[in-house]
Amino acid sequence: MRTPLIAGNWKMNKTVAESVEWARACIAGLGDVSDREVLVCPPYTALATLAPLLEATPLALGAQDVFYAEKGAYTGAISPLMLKDLGCRYVIIGHSERRQHFGDNDAIVNKKIVAALGHGLKSILCVGESKPQRDGGEAETVVTAQVRAGLAGLDAAQMEKIVIAYEPIWAIGTGDTATAADAQAMHAAIRATLVGLFGDTVAAALRIQYGGSVKPDNVDELMAQLDIDGALVGGASLAVEDFLRIAHFV
Ligand code: PEP
């Protein structure tokens, strides 16, 4: 049985004061969520302030990216050691905005995942095709190739700390969600790829989130799909009432 993971990715939004206000309201509104995991990934600037607020609550803390070195001359970078030190449990790796604006390619994504796992951070590997790739019938080839490259060299034990987020690029921040049936089809293709790479047991246990314009009014249908095990939520995670409704999917 896979425990669903609902994660909020704030991207480059919210001051520290706004983050605290959101976190207090979220914790107050979550209630009993023992049948699902709930995670927030604020900007780096809010992590240290939120960590003690979230401790011993059902809301876990994660980061939006990480560099692959532990320390050294990498101006502007944040290491897995630093995130672990702050109390992060998860880190998002390979988000399409990182791939588009910051040059993260599959090889870099793989190095970041290996580094994060080395420090006990659970990694959310983001994969997804562009609109031209979908229109050209290449979506499954592109996505499964990203899965293979991102997870290259990992063993079954490491896979226990991996979550995959399928996020079609054309659905991110556009309001244009994949249909539940299309999302399910891609999730099934990802799981079949995992069977080939790591075997049935690992593939059956691994959580695959959907991301791309998840909202209060579409989350229930998405979460009802057999291979959709959670949501990675961008825009709709900024308003705490919307995020709470998504976290309370039925
Ligand atoms: C995301 O940033 O991962 C995302 C899915 O964004 P949105 O929910 O705004 O489409």
Side-chain angles (χ1 to χ4, degrees):
M1 195 56 203
R2 299 183 290 268
T3 304
L5 173 63
I6 303 295
N9 169 21
W10 290 353
K11 314 190 188 200
M12 196 173 69
N13 290 292
K14 293 196 189 292
T15 63
V16 173
E18 289 166 347
S19 305
V20 169
E21 191 184 343
W22 185 102
R24 289 207 169 111
C26 188
I27 291 163
L30 270 179
D32 177 18
V33 285
S34 50
D35 62 342
R36 61 202 67 190
E37 268 189 88
V38 185
L39 166 70
V40 63
C41 300
Y44 292 131
T45 45
L47 289 173
T49 306
L50 290 191
L53 283 180
L54 270 50
E55 216 179 302
T57 76
L59 184 59
L61 187 65
Q64 298 173 18
D65 183 45
V66 69
F67 192 58
Y68 48 74
E70 189 170 300
K71 60 180 178 179
Y74 301 101
T75 301
I78 301 290
S79 81
L81 179 69
M82 293 166 174
L83 295 182
K84 191 71 185 165
D85 186 42
L86 283 178
C88 287
R89 302 233 312 264
Y90 284 87
V91 58
I92 298 169
I93 295 178
H95 192 282
S96 60
E97 289 154 13
R98 296 289 321 174
R99 294 180 192 254
Q100 183 188 346
H101 302 297
F102 301 95
D104 286 16
N105 58 28
D106 283 335
I108 291 171
V109 166
N110 180 249
K111 283 173 82 167
K112 289 183 171 185
I113 288 177
V114 170
L117 295 178
H119 286 278
L121 287 166
K122 295 186 180 179
S123 298
I124 300 177
L125 165 62
C126 297
V127 295
E129 81 285 358
S130 66
K131 185 77 174 137
Q133 288 166 336
R134 173 150 289 261
D135 291 345
E138 300 164 48
E140 196 175 308
T141 309
V142 167
V143 167
T144 55
Q146 288 174 341
V147 169
R148 286 174 203 282
L151 303 178
L154 301 194
D155 61 27
Q158 288 172 304
M159 288 300 291
E160 287 175 15
K161 290 196 179 305
I162 296 287
V163 174
I164 293 176
Y166 167 57
E167 300 205 303
I169 297 168
W170 48 269
I172 295 180
T174 59
D176 193 10
T177 324
T179 65
D182 282 350
Q184 164 57 28
M186 187 62 84
H187 283 227
I190 292 171
R191 205 174 301 283
T193 302
L194 295 171
V195 171
L197 290 172
F198 300 102
D200 290 340
T201 308
V202 168
L206 192 136
R207 291 174 295 180
I208 307 174
Q209 297 176 299
Y210 170 78
S213 297
V214 175
K215 308 269 185 240
D217 63 6
N218 61 23
V219 66
D220 296 339
E221 190 188 4
L222 287 161
M223 289 303 299
Q225 306 304 308
L226 196 62
D227 288 292
I228 298 185
D229 310 312
L232 183 52
V233 188
S237 72
L238 295 173
V240 72
E241 319 77 52
D242 287 350
F243 185 70
L244 281 168
R245 171 61 186 89
I246 291 168
H248 287 134
F249 73 87
V250 288

